[in-house]
Amino acid sequence: MAELDRPQAEVAVPDDWTYASAPESRDIVHIADRYGHFVGGEWLDAAETYETIAPRDEEPLAAVGQGSEADVGRAVAAARDAYADGWSSLPGSERAKYLFRIARLLQERSREFAVLESLNGGKPIKESRDVDLPLAAAHFFYYAGWADKLEYAFPNRRPRPVGVAGQIIPWNFPLLMLAWKVAPALACGNTVVLKPAETTPLTALLFCDVLRQAELPAGVVNIVTGDGRTGAALVVNEEVDKVAFTGSTEVGKEIQRRLAGTGKKLTLELGGKAANIVFDDAALDQAVEGIVNGIYFNQGHVCCAGSRLFVQESIYEPLVAKLERRLATLRVGDPLDKNTDVGAINSAAQLEKIEELVASGVEEGAQIYQPPCILPEKGYWFAPTVFTNVAQSYRIAQEEIFGPVLSVLTFRTPEEAVEKANNTPYGLSAGVWTEKGSRILWMAQRLRAGVVWANTFNRFDPSSPFGGYKESGFGREGGRHGLEPYLDFEESETFGG
Ligand code: NDP
């Protein structure tokens, strides 16, 4: 007893358990003051430029070319020459060598690319380091493997390249979207003109240095930076044979209208409003992690984000309580800090859009929860947000917010979950959380979504096709399916011939 009564020695107990900052060094990457366009293996000076910034603090990073119609024309001509000068007729095994080299170089330089991606786009370094870069390299590895096996991928169909591909990518996964587009195009023997998003051009411009290191023949990949006008010029250029676009449904529709009747091939990967559906037999803690990953990963700037959470009524209260507790542990802040979970919003325009939609949710009667967090004063920031008491008709349940904002709705039966989940113009992805395999299959057959994840969310693999239904677009990227948009086929005259 005497032991227990003895006064404890005074031990200093810290009253602040927050993580010390662990910033990644930005010195690892060199950013030039000014960039032109990468055309025919050379840097073409840009007559007009704009400033690209870091969304974390609005620091100007570089002057970047605003591509004109003439710049696009030069890039397309360079791609056409490279196509005719040998790239399209190079044996697949030779094309594969270049793709393997690019993949390995991306791995070797991954830290540099990850820092630049986080700096220019605002995403947490742990995501660009652990997701964007490994996946980008994996896409090049994967499609390198297909380059000399196209005859086997499409037996009896005599695949041949399409020609010059015009590719337009968004700002949420800049390098990864580049890899999704460039790797299959090159594997199939096409040449490319790519336009990165206006706010995130820097990793695409650094990628030009990887192309130089890989000794890719001049003109096979050309990069023209600029805003939507540059993209529009690329779409309508008559020498472009195939257009691949990822971005908003609005611009996708505009591109489809423009290309109607031209005979150009087109794939569109557009917006989404995914349902993440949790049944009462799901492992709740695991589901909470999946929900958080589904909507707060990359600040919710994800076309397949699980932005509508459907919870079976009987577990609504415990699940929402767990979710709110978990939200309070998310660290929002400097994208270059290795502890950061939620980084900066990509641009002032996107922040404005998120704020407007969130205000509409409050006005329409939903209940908002945001964990206490101190947001940096400079830059573009938005706290992780959960809306409960949401009706299906509210704008926050209908429109793509593309930010860290979750709407929680409820259901009673699997039939009701399917009906509510499918009640959207989009159809890109969905998630199902249940311990019953039979229910997963039953749901997957009925959900109108290109991808259905079960007991996980936001899982990507180069061998798995990705794409949408309805207003989420058409065509598939990834997997063997992702080769098809970059090929024309001559059907064999004789069966098996
Ligand atoms: P956009 O659809 O405008 O941008 C996607 C790409 O298309 C960018 O490179 C853009 O250039 C380019 N572009 C813009 N206008 C045209 C045009 N007329 N012809 C050809 N290319 C064009 O998306 P935003 O960046 O404006 O984002 C708006 C909303 O779109 C977001 O809030 C989000 O809801 C959704 N979105 C969805 C994405 C997805 O992956 N599904 C990705 C990005 C956005 P520039 O960057 O210069 O505008």
Side-chain angles (χ1 to χ4, degrees):
M1 281 313 252
E3 278 284 289
L4 289 178
D5 289 344
R6 210 168 52 204
Q8 298 283 310
E10 291 269 317
V11 179
V13 178
D15 50 8
D16 182 6
W17 288 96
T18 50
Y19 282 60
S21 64
E24 175 59 279
S25 165
R26 64 163 285 182
D27 297 340
I28 188 171
V29 60
H30 169 74
I31 305 175
D33 292 338
R34 184 187 166 96
Y35 290 91
H37 309 292
F38 188 70
V39 173
E42 290 177 1
W43 289 102
L44 197 79
D45 194 34
E48 198 188 324
T49 60
Y50 68 92
E51 201 166 64
T52 186
I53 61 162
R56 65 173 181 165
D57 56 4
E58 297 161 63
E59 175 202 356
L61 296 175
V64 175
Q66 164 60 46
S68 64
E69 210 179 308
D71 295 328
V72 169
R74 281 187 206 107
V76 174
R80 174 64 59 200
D81 288 348
Y83 183 80
D85 285 352
W87 182 255
S88 57
S89 52
L90 208 62
S93 54
E94 289 302 310
R95 291 200 302 272
K97 285 183 194 168
Y98 291 104
L99 292 174
F100 278 124
R101 272 188 218 159
I102 293 170
R104 282 195 299 270
L105 286 162
L106 283 178
Q107 284 184 322
E108 279 165 25
R109 300 180 65 176
S110 66
R111 192 163 159 219
E112 192 184 346
F113 271 97
V115 168
L116 191 58
E117 198 74 304
S118 286
L119 197 58
N120 198 200
K123 65 172 66 196
I125 186 74
K126 70 176 175 190
E127 291 178 6
S128 30
R129 181 194 64 199
D130 300 345
V131 181
D132 296 59
L133 260 297
L135 274 175
H139 268 81
F140 279 98
F141 276 123
Y142 176 77
Y143 281 110
W146 274 122
D148 61 347
K149 302 176 193 69
L150 300 175
E151 300 279 346
Y152 302 95
F154 304 99
N156 304 324
R157 295 186 65 196
R158 293 191 190 157
R160 53 184 162 80
V162 172
V164 176
Q167 306 182 323
I168 299 164
I169 55 173
W171 41 262
N172 50 348
F173 293 92
L175 186 75
L176 184 57
M177 290 299 107
L178 174 152
W180 278 29
K181 297 217 168 1
V182 172
L186 299 194
C188 293
N190 304 279
T191 55
V192 162
V193 178
L194 178 125
K195 189 203 90 70
E198 179 186 1
T199 56
T200 53
L202 293 184
T203 46
L205 294 168
L206 184 60
F207 181 73
C208 300
D209 197 41
V210 166
L211 299 177
R212 180 193 57 76
Q213 278 182 289
E215 295 177 11
L216 189 77
V220 172
V221 173
N222 305 273
I223 295 191
V224 183
T225 53
D227 62 17
R229 290 168 295 172
T230 314
L234 183 56
V235 167
V236 298
N237 187 297
E238 289 187 357
E239 288 295 308
V240 168
D241 303 295
K242 188 248 172 326
V243 173
F245 172 81
T246 298
S248 62
T249 298
E250 192 191 349
V251 174
K253 284 182 178 174
E254 162 76 20
I255 291 176
Q256 196 175 8
R257 272 193 293 272
R258 292 227 167 189
L259 293 191
T262 62
K264 279 186 198 176
K265 281 171 95 94
L266 173 65
T267 41
L268 296 175
E269 202 266 270
L270 310 175
K273 193 73 188 171
N276 204 358
I277 303 164
V278 185
F279 284 95
D280 58 6
D281 61 349
L284 286 201
D285 291 316
Q286 192 187 333
V288 166
E289 289 310 308
I291 295 161
V292 167
N293 173 36
I295 184 65
Y296 304 112
F297 170 64
N298 200 27
Q299 296 75 248
H301 300 330
V302 185
C303 47
C304 53
S307 51
R308 291 179 303 152
L309 174 66
F310 289 97
V311 185
Q312 197 153 19
E313 253 181 33
S314 52
I315 52 158
Y316 174 77
E317 276 160 20
L319 187 92
V320 169
K322 275 176 187 285
L323 183 62
E324 291 186 353
R325 259 203 315 277
R326 177 69 177 88
L327 236 61
T329 67
L330 291 178
R331 288 179 297 272
V332 184
D334 183 3
L336 287 191
D337 191 318
K338 292 171 209 153
N339 294 322
T340 294
D341 297 306
V342 180
I345 299 301
N346 182 263
S347 64
Q350 188 58 29
L351 180 59
E352 199 179 310
K353 180 182 167 186
I354 296 168
E355 287 171 341
E356 193 267 323
L357 273 160
V358 166
S360 83
V362 174
E363 205 169 296
E364 286 187 293
Q367 194 170 334
I368 188 170
Y369 170 77
Q370 289 176 324
C373 59
I374 300 160
L375 300 178
E377 273 176 20
K378 277 187 98 178
Y380 314 128
W381 302 94
F382 201 83
T385 302
V386 175
F387 274 115
T388 49
N389 199 24
V390 179
Q392 289 260 46
S393 57
Y394 291 178
R395 284 181 65 203
I396 52 169
Q398 290 290 327
E399 295 178 31
E400 185 177 46
I401 301 175
F402 228 62
V405 182
L406 178 68
S407 298
V408 189
L409 300 104
T410 59
F411 68 93
R412 288 185 186 168
T413 63
E415 289 79 6
E416 189 187 342
V418 169
E419 192 161 333
K420 285 183 166 172
N422 287 341
N423 179 16
T424 166
Y426 297 109
L428 197 54
S429 66
V432 179
W433 297 82
T434 172
E435 67 161 19
K436 291 187 185 62
S438 57
R439 182 177 278 163
I440 291 170
L441 296 174
W442 190 90
M443 293 291 291
Q445 280 167 348
R446 287 161 181 79
L447 290 169
R448 295 283 292 159
V451 178
V452 180
W453 285 292
N455 294 326
T456 186
F457 210 91
N458 273 342
R459 289 252 164 196
F460 299 98
D461 189 281
S463 63
S464 176
F466 183 89
Y469 283 101
K470 302 192 280 185
E471 296 210 357
S472 291
F474 51 78
R476 294 292 177 264
E477 293 184 297
R480 191 172 57 84
H481 302 69
L483 295 165
E484 210 163 336
Y486 290 100
L487 292 168
D488 276 333
F489 297 96
E490 273 171 49
E491 302 300 338
S492 302
E493 284 160 21
T494 53
F495 181 70

Coordinates of all heavy atoms in Angstrom, one line a residue, residues 206-245:
L206 N 8.0 19.1 -67.0 CA 9.1 18.4 -66.5 C 9.2 17.0 -67.2 O 10.3 16.5 -67.5 CB 9.0 18.1 -65.0 CG 10.2 17.4 -64.3 CD1 11.5 18.2 -64.5 CD2 9.9 17.2 -62.8
F207 N 8.0 16.5 -67.6 CA 8.0 15.2 -68.3 C 8.7 15.3 -69.6 O 9.3 14.3 -70.1 CB 6.5 14.8 -68.5 CG 6.3 13.5 -69.2 CD1 6.5 12.3 -68.5 CD2 5.8 13.5 -70.5 CE1 6.3 11.1 -69.1 CE2 5.6 12.2 -71.1 CZ 5.9 11.1 -70.5
C208 N 8.8 16.5 -70.2 CA 9.5 16.6 -71.5 C 11.0 16.3 -71.3 O 11.6 15.8 -72.2 CB 9.4 18.1 -72.0 SG 7.6 18.5 -72.3
D209 N 11.5 16.6 -70.1 CA 12.9 16.2 -69.8 C 13.0 14.7 -69.7 O 14.1 14.2 -70.2 CB 13.3 16.9 -68.5 CG 14.8 16.9 -68.4 OD1 15.5 17.2 -69.4 OD2 15.3 16.6 -67.3
V210 N 12.0 14.0 -69.2 CA 12.1 12.5 -69.2 C 12.1 12.0 -70.6 O 12.8 11.1 -71.0 CB 10.9 12.0 -68.4 CG1 10.7 10.5 -68.6 CG2 11.1 12.3 -66.9
L211 N 11.3 12.6 -71.5 CA 11.2 12.2 -72.9 C 12.6 12.4 -73.6 O 13.0 11.5 -74.3 CB 10.2 13.0 -73.7 CG 8.7 12.9 -73.2 CD1 7.8 13.8 -74.0 CD2 8.3 11.5 -73.3
R212 N 13.3 13.5 -73.2 CA 14.6 13.7 -73.8 C 15.6 12.6 -73.2 O 16.3 12.0 -74.0 CB 15.1 15.1 -73.3 CG 16.5 15.5 -73.8 CD 17.0 16.7 -73.1 NE 17.0 16.6 -71.6 CZ 17.9 15.9 -70.9 NH1 18.9 15.3 -71.6 NH2 17.9 15.8 -69.6
Q213 N 15.5 12.4 -71.9 CA 16.4 11.3 -71.4 C 16.1 9.9 -72.0 O 17.0 9.1 -72.2 CB 16.1 11.2 -69.9 CG 16.8 12.2 -69.0 CD 16.5 11.9 -67.5 OE1 15.4 12.2 -67.1 NE2 17.5 11.5 -66.8
A214 N 14.8 9.7 -72.3 CA 14.5 8.4 -72.8 C 14.8 8.3 -74.3 O 14.6 7.3 -75.0 CB 13.0 8.1 -72.6
E215 N 15.2 9.4 -74.9 CA 15.6 9.5 -76.3 C 14.4 9.2 -77.2 O 14.6 8.5 -78.3 CB 16.8 8.7 -76.6 CG 18.0 9.2 -75.9 CD 19.3 8.4 -76.1 OE1 19.3 7.5 -77.0 OE2 20.3 8.6 -75.4
L216 N 13.2 9.5 -76.8 CA 12.0 9.3 -77.6 C 12.2 10.1 -78.9 O 12.6 11.3 -78.8 CB 10.8 9.8 -76.8 CG 9.5 9.4 -77.5 CD1 9.2 7.9 -77.3 CD2 8.3 10.2 -77.0
P217 N 11.9 9.6 -80.1 CA 12.1 10.4 -81.3 C 11.3 11.7 -81.2 O 10.2 11.7 -80.7 CB 11.6 9.4 -82.4 CG 11.7 8.1 -81.8 CD 11.5 8.2 -80.3
A218 N 11.9 12.7 -81.8 CA 11.3 14.1 -81.8 C 9.9 14.0 -82.4 O 9.7 13.4 -83.4 CB 12.2 15.0 -82.5
G219 N 9.0 14.7 -81.8 CA 7.7 14.9 -82.3 C 6.7 13.8 -81.9 O 5.5 13.9 -82.2
V220 N 7.2 12.7 -81.3 CA 6.2 11.6 -80.9 C 5.3 12.1 -79.8 O 4.1 11.9 -79.8 CB 7.0 10.4 -80.5 CG1 6.0 9.3 -79.9 CG2 7.7 9.8 -81.7
V221 N 5.8 12.9 -78.9 CA 5.0 13.6 -77.9 C 5.3 15.1 -77.9 O 6.4 15.5 -77.8 CB 5.3 13.0 -76.4 CG1 4.5 13.8 -75.4 CG2 4.9 11.5 -76.3
N222 N 4.2 15.8 -78.0 CA 4.3 17.3 -78.0 C 3.4 17.9 -77.0 O 2.3 17.3 -76.8 CB 3.9 17.8 -79.4 CG 4.7 17.2 -80.5 OD1 5.8 17.6 -80.9 ND2 4.1 16.1 -81.0
I223 N 3.9 18.9 -76.3 CA 3.1 19.4 -75.2 C 2.9 20.9 -75.4 O 3.9 21.7 -75.5 CB 3.7 19.1 -73.8 CG1 3.7 17.6 -73.7 CG2 3.0 19.9 -72.7 CD1 4.0 17.0 -72.4
V224 N 1.6 21.3 -75.5 CA 1.3 22.7 -75.7 C 0.5 23.2 -74.5 O -0.6 22.6 -74.2 CB 0.5 23.0 -77.0 CG1 0.2 24.5 -77.2 CG2 1.2 22.4 -78.2
T225 N 0.9 24.2 -73.8 CA 0.2 24.6 -72.6 C -0.7 25.8 -72.9 O -0.6 26.4 -74.0 CB 1.2 25.1 -71.5 OG1 2.1 26.1 -72.0 CG2 2.0 23.9 -70.9
G226 N -1.6 26.1 -72.0 CA -2.6 27.2 -72.2 C -3.9 26.9 -71.6 O -4.1 25.9 -70.9
D227 N -4.9 27.8 -71.8 CA -6.2 27.6 -71.2 C -7.1 26.9 -72.2 O -6.7 26.2 -73.1 CB -6.7 28.9 -70.7 CG -6.9 29.9 -71.9 OD1 -7.0 29.5 -73.0 OD2 -7.1 31.1 -71.6
G228 N -8.4 27.0 -71.9 CA -9.4 26.3 -72.7 C -9.4 26.6 -74.2 O -9.7 25.7 -75.0
R229 N -8.9 27.8 -74.5 CA -8.8 28.1 -76.0 C -7.8 27.3 -76.7 O -8.0 26.9 -77.8 CB -8.4 29.6 -76.1 CG -9.5 30.6 -75.7 CD -8.9 32.0 -75.6 NE -7.9 32.1 -74.6 CZ -7.1 33.2 -74.4 NH1 -7.2 34.2 -75.1 NH2 -6.2 33.2 -73.4
T230 N -6.7 26.9 -76.0 CA -5.7 26.1 -76.6 C -6.3 24.7 -76.8 O -6.1 24.0 -77.8 CB -4.5 26.0 -75.6 OG1 -4.1 27.3 -75.2 CG2 -3.3 25.3 -76.3
G231 N -7.1 24.2 -75.8 CA -7.7 22.9 -75.9 C -8.7 22.9 -77.0 O -8.7 21.9 -77.8
A232 N -9.5 24.0 -77.2 CA -10.5 24.0 -78.3 C -9.8 24.0 -79.6 O -10.2 23.3 -80.6 CB -11.3 25.3 -78.1
A233 N -8.6 24.7 -79.7 CA -7.9 24.7 -81.0 C -7.4 23.3 -81.3 O -7.4 22.9 -82.5 CB -6.7 25.7 -80.9
L234 N -7.0 22.5 -80.3 CA -6.5 21.2 -80.6 C -7.7 20.3 -81.0 O -7.5 19.5 -81.9 CB -5.9 20.6 -79.2 CG -5.3 19.3 -79.3 CD1 -4.2 19.1 -80.3 CD2 -4.7 18.9 -77.9
V235 N -8.8 20.4 -80.4 CA -10.0 19.6 -80.7 C -10.4 19.8 -82.2 O -10.6 18.8 -82.9 CB -11.2 20.0 -79.8 CG1 -12.5 19.4 -80.4 CG2 -10.9 19.5 -78.4
V236 N -10.4 21.0 -82.7 CA -10.9 21.3 -84.1 C -9.8 21.1 -85.1 O -10.1 21.2 -86.3 CB -11.5 22.7 -84.2 CG1 -12.8 22.7 -83.3 CG2 -10.6 23.8 -83.9
N237 N -8.5 21.0 -84.7 CA -7.5 20.8 -85.7 C -7.7 19.6 -86.7 O -7.9 18.5 -86.2 CB -6.1 20.7 -85.1 CG -5.0 20.7 -86.0 OD1 -4.9 19.9 -86.9 ND2 -4.1 21.8 -85.9
E238 N -7.7 19.9 -88.0 CA -8.2 18.8 -88.9 C -7.2 17.7 -89.0 O -7.6 16.6 -89.4 CB -8.4 19.4 -90.3 CG -9.6 20.3 -90.2 CD -10.1 20.8 -91.6 OE1 -9.4 20.5 -92.6 OE2 -11.1 21.5 -91.6
E239 N -6.0 17.9 -88.6 CA -5.0 16.8 -88.7 C -5.0 15.9 -87.4 O -4.2 15.0 -87.4 CB -3.6 17.4 -88.8 CG -3.3 18.0 -90.2 CD -3.4 16.9 -91.3 OE1 -2.7 15.9 -91.2 OE2 -4.1 17.1 -92.3
V240 N -5.8 16.2 -86.5 CA -5.9 15.4 -85.3 C -7.0 14.3 -85.6 O -8.1 14.5 -86.1 CB -6.4 16.2 -84.1 CG1 -6.8 15.3 -82.9 CG2 -5.3 17.1 -83.6
D241 N -6.6 13.0 -85.4 CA -7.4 11.9 -85.7 C -8.3 11.4 -84.6 O -9.3 10.7 -84.8 CB -6.6 10.7 -86.2 CG -5.7 11.1 -87.4 OD1 -6.3 11.4 -88.4 OD2 -4.5 11.2 -87.3
K242 N -7.8 11.6 -83.4 CA -8.5 11.1 -82.2 C -8.3 12.1 -81.0 O -7.3 12.6 -80.8 CB -7.8 9.8 -81.8 CG -8.6 9.0 -80.7 CD -7.8 9.0 -79.4 CE -8.5 8.4 -78.2 NZ -9.9 8.6 -78.0
V243 N -9.5 12.4 -80.4 CA -9.4 13.3 -79.2 C -9.8 12.5 -78.0 O -10.7 11.7 -77.9 CB -10.5 14.4 -79.4 CG1 -10.5 15.3 -78.2 CG2 -10.1 15.3 -80.6
A244 N -8.9 12.7 -76.9 CA -9.2 12.1 -75.6 C -9.3 13.2 -74.6 O -8.4 14.0 -74.5 CB -8.0 11.1 -75.2
F245 N -10.4 13.3 -73.9 CA -10.6 14.4 -73.0 C -11.0 13.9 -71.6 O -11.9 13.0 -71.5 CB -11.7 15.3 -73.6 CG -12.2 16.4 -72.6 CD1 -11.5 17.6 -72.5 CD2 -13.3 16.2 -71.8 CE1 -11.9 18.5 -71.6 CE2 -13.7 17.2 -70.9 CZ -13.0 18.4 -70.8

